[in-house]
Amino acid sequence: METANKTKTMLVTGGSRGIGAEIARLAVRSGYRVVINYANSAEAAHALVDELNITRIVTHAIRCDISEEASVVDMFAETNAVFGPVDVLVNNAGVTGGFAKVCDVTAQTLSDVMSTNVIGAFLCSREAVCQMSKRTGGAGGAIVNVSSRASQYGGAGEWVHYAASKGAMDTLTLGLAREVASEGIRVNAVAPGFVDTDLHANAGDADRATRLAAQTPMGRPGTSLEIANTVLWLADDAASYVTGAIVAAAGGR
Ligand code: NAP
C-alpha cells in the first residue's frame, strides 16, 4: 500500500525481525521515516537499516528493552531528536515465554511475558501519547498494537500466559482509544493468526504455524507482509474514522 505520508515518523518496537521487520520495510516503501527498535538482535536491526537507507536516511535503529522505563523514555527522546515526534507507534515487540500449561508456568515466565507484552506496550503508548497529543501541542497520530487471535482462543495447553498478555493488550487498545480520541490519536490493534516467523521455532516448535494453520478456514499461515499491510492501513489516514478496533488478520480463524 503506497501512501502520501512522506514525512511521518513511525516507531516499530521489535522491528529487527519477523513481522516487525516487514512493517518497517512496508512503512519505508509507504514514505515513512522509521525507527527500528530491538532488544537483542543488533546485527539484524542494523542490517535492516542498511537495506532500507539506500539513497537517504529513512531508518534509524535504537536498542531498547521496552520493559525498562528509563530506556523507553530515552528511546522516544532519541526518536524525537533524529526524526521529530512520533506520528505512528506500532507496539509489535512480543515474547511467548515458551510452552507451559498453567499448572507448570513459573513466576519468572509470567513476569517476562507481562513485562514485554503488557508493560512495554503501556510504556511506549504513554510516551507516544505525550508526543502526539493535540492537547499538549502535538500533531495527533496513531497507535497500532500487534495483538493475537490467541487473546480470544485462550492458548489452552500451550501458553495461556501469552494469550492473557494479548488480552491485556486488547483492553489497552479499547481503553486508550476512548481516552485519547479527542486528542487526535487513534488506537487500534491487529490480531494475527498463525504467521510463519521465528516466534514458533524460538518457542520450540518450528512447524507450529504451518501445522495449525492447516486447520483454519484458509488452510495456510499468514505472511508477515499480510500483517504489515493491515498495520499500515490502520496507521494511515485511510482509516481516519477507525479507532478502538481489533482487526483479525487470521485467515478466518
Ligand atoms: P519474532 O520473530 O519472535 O520477533 C519478535 C520481535 O520482538 C523481535 O524483533 C525482538 O527483538 C522483539 N522483542 C522481544 N522482546 C523485546 C523487548 N523486551 N524489547 C524490545 N523488543 C523486543 O516474533 P513475530 O512473530 O514477528 O511477532 C511479532 C508480534 O506479533 C508479537 O507481538 C507476537 O506476539 C505477534 N504475533 C505473532 C504471531 C505469529 O504467528 N508469528 C501470531 C500472533 C501474534 P530482539 O530480537 O532484538 O530481541
Side-chain angles (χ1 to χ4, degrees):
M1 182 173 65
E2 302 293 330
T3 73
N5 295 320
K6 296 299 178 203
T7 60
K8 287 191 175 177
T9 298
M10 176 184 289
L11 192 162
V12 183
T13 68
S16 55
R17 303 186 286 110
I19 293 170
E22 212 52 39
I23 293 167
R25 288 190 181 93
L26 187 60
V28 166
R29 290 206 297 277
S30 302
Y32 287 91
R33 296 169 299 195
V34 181
V35 168
I36 295 167
N37 156 251
Y38 66 96
N40 301 296
S41 301
E43 200 175 326
H46 289 286
L48 185 57
V49 166
D50 290 344
E51 174 191 322
L52 296 173
N53 284 349
I54 303 168
T55 54
R56 59 201 173 93
I57 306 297
V58 290
T59 60
H60 177 77
I62 300 180
R63 199 207 86 76
C64 163
D65 179 339
I66 60 164
S67 66
E68 294 175 2
E69 183 174 21
S71 189
V72 169
V73 171
D74 288 349
M75 175 169 70
F76 276 81
E78 185 174 337
T79 299
N80 196 8
V82 173
F83 285 149
V86 168
D87 298 289
V88 176
L89 165 68
V90 183
N91 279 316
N92 166 78
V95 294
T96 66
F99 300 110
K101 291 189 176 180
V102 173
C103 62
D104 297 321
V105 74
T106 64
Q108 188 62 54
T109 294
L110 291 171
S111 176
D112 291 346
V113 171
M114 299 302 165
S115 293
T116 292
N117 298 6
V118 182
I119 295 175
F122 261 88
L123 292 174
C124 290
S125 297
R126 184 189 76 189
E127 295 306 305
V129 166
C130 289
Q131 289 191 7
M132 293 173 179
S133 176
K134 289 186 175 177
R135 188 173 53 81
T136 52
I143 296 173
V144 183
N145 295 325
V146 181
S147 179
S148 172
R149 288 295 287 155
S151 73
Q152 300 304 304
Y153 282 86
E158 292 189 312
W159 43 36
V160 174
H161 48 280
Y162 168 72
S165 75
K166 295 300 187 177
M169 180 175 250
D170 289 351
T171 303
L172 168 65
T173 304
L174 298 176
L176 186 60
R178 290 167 182 164
E179 191 165 296
V180 297
S182 64
E183 300 175 36
I185 304 170
R186 296 182 300 104
V187 185
N188 292 289
V190 55
F194 302 110
V195 183
D196 201 3
T197 69
D198 292 344
L199 176 139
H200 309 280
N202 289 341
D205 187 354
D207 297 333
R208 182 175 178 274
T210 305
R211 190 180 68 250
L212 296 182
Q215 300 158 23
T216 64
M218 283 195 184
R220 64 164 179 87
T223 66
S224 293
L225 180 58
E226 288 174 311
I227 307 307
N229 271 314
T230 312
V231 168
L232 267 288
W233 175 71
L234 287 169
D236 192 79
D237 289 344
S240 55
Y241 200 50
V242 180
T243 198
I246 299 168
V247 178
R253 182 172 189 256

